[in-house]
Amino acid sequence: MGKSPLTSTKDSGALQALVAAFGNEKRVKAGAVIITVFGDVILPRGGAVWLGSLIQLLGPLGLNERLVRTAAFRLVADEWLVPTAEGRRTNYGLSDTGRRRAEEAARHIYSPSAPQWDGQWRLLTVPTDLPAGLKEALRRSLYWHGFGQLGANVFVHPSAEWRVVFDALTLEGFQHLLPGMLAFSALHPGAGLGGTNRDVVRTAWDLKQLGDDYDAFIKRYAPVADELTGPGGAAGVDPETAFQVRVLLIHDFRRLLLRDPQLPEALLPTHWPGLRARAMCQAIYRQLWPASERHLAGTLRLANGSELKVGAEVPANMASWLL
């Protein structure tokens, strides 16, 4: 399936330039794009899609059939997706682990603002005698859930819900490690004793690099925002182009959020660019939504040919973004 004919001069500018730049990137990780599509598009429609529809949807972004099939097989092996044969066709749906991760990512992506903070740090200690490979896998999982690292075996988060964290770790295969973990909350003593809360942030997370990357995100999408808010707005954007830009927008924003602990504003640096990036992302997403949904309605199918429709599984935060 080729690119749709452009219906306005708007599409020949920043939006098409963004899509073209993505197509020219080397080593595009098809699996990461598919995860973005499942979280933003497939999850609200029940969590499963026919592989042929997925191939048709992503082809115009430069992800050919071979790349999509290979990435889907790897996501099955990594327990993100589960295949279900229906005749000669196959649906791919989110696994329990994949659904939990997609729902958690949705809470972060579509959150209207940084969470309020109760002033207490959530601290988690992990066993000291883990094999190197297992220790790294656990570290990456905690990193995914927004934890920073204070020491070799001590992780920290400003607002983690322990039941959610331990349920997630269980789904991810770390249940045998849970008895050796210690979880507790701690209040900084203040009054200049042992540094400050901001010192905790500086130790546990690299906000300088993250801030630079948020600035780059803003710079990259500012021309898109300008075109969509210019004369004519988003009304003339081709539906396929709207979908492509929507996917790239959420894909790029999601990659930043994977490294962002979602610190409350009280702990963020002054003029934190992550706040501006979130506001820009939401504004662009809202403008692209109507046209992109028209494209999805004409493309997405299950293996039996039935249309995928938005149902009751739309994350609440996503719905709030569209108001």
Side-chain angles (χ1 to χ4, degrees):
M1 178 179 177
K3 293 183 181 295
S4 297
L6 304 183
T7 58
S8 73
T9 55
K10 182 187 300 296
D11 281 355
S12 64
L15 280 74
Q16 282 291 354
L18 184 76
V19 174
F22 177 80
N24 292 330
E25 286 183 11
K26 296 181 179 179
R27 299 182 180 179
V28 171
K29 295 185 177 180
V33 178
I34 290 174
I35 289 171
T36 297
V37 170
F38 263 88
D40 185 63
V41 174
I42 308 303
L43 177 62
R45 291 169 165 82
V49 65
W50 171 43
L51 181 60
S53 275
L54 196 61
I55 291 169
Q56 180 182 3
L57 194 68
L58 297 179
L61 281 172
L63 302 179
N64 60 38
E65 180 175 348
R66 180 185 61 80
L67 284 174
V68 174
R69 287 185 181 277
T70 300
F73 295 156
R74 288 175 178 168
L75 289 172
V76 170
D78 291 340
E79 299 183 349
W80 271 94
L81 302 179
V82 176
T84 304
E86 190 165 340
R88 299 180 63 181
R89 293 180 168 184
T90 303
N91 289 322
Y92 279 78
L94 288 163
S95 66
D96 289 342
T97 298
R99 181 177 291 273
R100 176 66 64 90
R101 282 179 165 176
E103 290 172 346
E104 182 175 346
R107 284 195 294 272
H108 289 308
I109 292 170
Y110 310 105
S111 176
S113 62
Q116 295 295 315
W117 191 39
D118 62 6
Q120 297 192 68
W121 292 104
R122 278 63 171 173
L123 298 175
L124 181 68
T125 67
V126 302
T128 60
D129 56 350
L130 298 179
L134 181 58
K135 186 173 184 178
E136 176 61 16
L138 178 60
R139 186 196 69 80
R140 287 182 177 276
S141 179
L142 291 171
Y143 182 71
W144 168 271
H145 295 296
F147 280 83
Q149 197 163 0
L150 286 178
N153 302 291
V154 181
F155 294 83
V156 62
H157 194 287
S159 57
E161 298 178 22
W162 290 123
R163 184 175 298 278
V164 173
V165 172
F166 282 104
D167 284 349
L169 291 175
T170 297
L171 282 174
E172 292 162 16
F174 297 107
Q175 65 273 13
H176 61 294
L177 300 181
L178 301 187
M181 295 183 183
L182 296 176
F184 51 94
S185 298
L187 185 66
H188 191 278
L193 300 174
T196 66
N197 284 318
R198 290 189 179 276
D199 290 326
V200 174
V201 173
R202 281 190 288 269
T203 300
W205 294 280
D206 180 7
L207 293 186
K208 172 61 170 64
Q209 183 59 56
L210 182 60
D212 290 344
D213 291 341
Y214 271 126
D215 281 330
F217 175 90
I218 293 169
K219 183 177 181 180
R220 183 178 190 187
Y221 283 94
V224 172
D226 290 343
E227 285 198 4
L228 292 175
T229 56
V237 178
D238 171 72
E240 185 177 34
T241 302
F243 162 73
Q244 292 168 351
V245 175
R246 169 181 161 182
V247 166
L248 298 183
L249 173 77
I250 295 300
H251 182 62
D252 285 341
F253 191 53
R254 176 181 172 276
R255 286 194 296 180
L256 290 172
L257 289 183
L258 286 178
R259 296 155 41 212
D260 191 333
Q262 297 291 285
L263 295 167
E265 291 189 35
L267 299 179
L268 289 172
T270 305
H271 306 304
W272 177 240
L275 302 179
R276 286 180 282 126
R278 179 177 294 280
M280 174 181 285
C281 185
Q282 179 180 359
I284 294 173
Y285 188 89
R286 183 185 294 136
Q287 291 164 326
L288 294 172
W289 174 270
S292 64
E293 285 294 300
R294 291 197 296 274
H295 178 65
L296 292 169
T299 305
L300 292 178
R301 297 290 184 272
L302 289 172
N304 63 11
S306 61
E307 181 181 340
L308 288 184
K309 296 182 179 181
V310 175
E313 298 186 59
V314 177
N317 285 340
M318 180 187 291
S320 71
W321 259 31
L322 303 173
L323 297 178

